[in-house]
Amino acid sequence: MDIRASTVLPARREDIELHTADGLTLVGELAMPETGPPVATLVCLHPLPTHGGMMDSHVLRKASYRLPALAGIAVLRFNTRGTTSDRGTSQGAFDGGEGERWDVAAALEYADFHDLPNPWLLGWSFGTELALRWGRDPLVRGAILLSPPLKRAGDEDVAAWGEFGRPLVALVPEFDDYLRPEEAALRFAAAPQAEVIGVEGAKHLWVGEPYVRVVLDEIVKRLNPAAAPLPTTV
């Protein structure tokens, strides 16, 4: 069977709640390999909720559909404060990336408390800004950034990640609306360990199965190299 955009592979899926230090309950889902423990954990930070971003934004949803089965990776998705998806609505209100620091912390606390191994952050657009600003936690093994705008998170945040020292991978679409590969290479130079990967033909929203596969393969290369590249059939 070919793996298509709508393919959902077997996993143990559980609705979860995250509890923030400022008293909010956030809704989410944890997808685990069907058998055995995960080798690593992907904590997903979604795009801008005021422009439709949520835990079901398509790349994050497809990661949860495929990576537990194909790569042994646990995928934790959640709605940041005030965000709605089919799973429900997280308490609170969108705070432009400020109060969301507690949302990131709550997700990492959940991963730690539930012994989810080797957590990596996957940020997309607005989510990259949360990762860069609030993801420099000792638990975090590294971060993968999709379509980083580098607006709310700026050069000082990139430099701080450089000092943090953990891996940083930026997947930058050739035709991104905000930051394209050549400029991204200059901006991310403040973090010497950063890898900037320009993705030919891609746009900010990563529409199209070929681009989703690029993203998922790059994730697996970091979190479970033995499983890369992912199969296209099952």
Side-chain angles (χ1 to χ4, degrees):
M1 179 184 76
D2 289 339
I3 296 173
R4 303 181 182 278
S6 59
T7 301
V8 182
L9 299 176
R12 290 178 285 147
R13 304 180 195 280
E14 177 187 359
D15 287 344
I16 62 171
E17 292 184 343
L18 309 179
H19 301 283
T20 69
D22 61 342
L24 301 180
T25 298
L26 314 179
V27 299
E29 182 204 79
L30 178 65
M32 297 272 279
E34 195 172 32
T35 58
V39 298
T41 305
L42 194 65
V43 177
C44 299
L45 305 173
H46 60 68
L48 195 64
T50 53
H51 288 67
M54 57 178 170
M55 62 178 275
D56 283 336
S57 293
H58 77 102
V59 176
L60 310 183
R61 188 178 69 245
K62 290 165 188 170
S64 77
Y65 285 173
R66 302 180 200 180
L67 296 186
L70 299 180
I73 294 170
V75 179
L76 192 164
R77 299 177 295 140
F78 68 98
N79 286 331
T80 57
R81 56 191 57 210
T83 302
T84 299
S85 71
D86 287 347
R87 168 70 181 89
T89 300
S90 289
Q91 292 179 348
F94 174 67
D95 195 34
E98 296 299 330
E100 285 82 0
R101 67 183 302 166
W102 307 117
D103 304 353
V104 176
L108 294 174
E109 183 179 69
Y110 183 97
D112 186 35
F113 185 79
H114 291 85
D115 296 322
L116 299 176
N118 303 322
W120 279 67
L121 298 174
L122 174 66
W124 181 3
S125 193
F126 173 68
T128 69
E129 301 178 314
L130 300 185
L132 284 169
R133 296 181 69 194
W134 313 126
R136 300 190 304 272
D137 184 288
L139 288 171
V140 170
R141 298 302 180 92
I144 298 166
L145 311 179
L146 308 182
S147 307
L150 290 185
K151 290 184 179 295
R152 291 178 181 84
D155 297 341
E156 66 281 2
D157 298 298
V158 174
W161 194 284
E163 294 176 8
F164 181 48
R166 303 292 166 88
L168 186 66
V169 181
L171 301 180
V172 183
E174 179 183 9
F175 300 118
D176 195 83
D177 297 319
Y178 304 102
L179 184 71
R180 296 189 175 185
E182 187 174 345
E183 183 187 353
L186 297 175
R187 299 282 302 277
F188 278 100
Q193 76 274 34
E195 294 179 72
V196 176
I197 300 171
V199 180
E200 186 175 346
K203 297 182 180 179
H204 190 75
L205 297 180
W206 300 93
V207 173
E209 184 62 19
Y211 302 115
V212 173
R213 287 181 175 166
V214 168
V215 170
L216 298 185
D217 277 339
E218 292 294 339
I219 291 168
V220 174
K221 283 180 190 176
R222 275 74 187 181
L223 276 67
N224 186 8
L230 293 174
T232 58
T233 61
V234 289

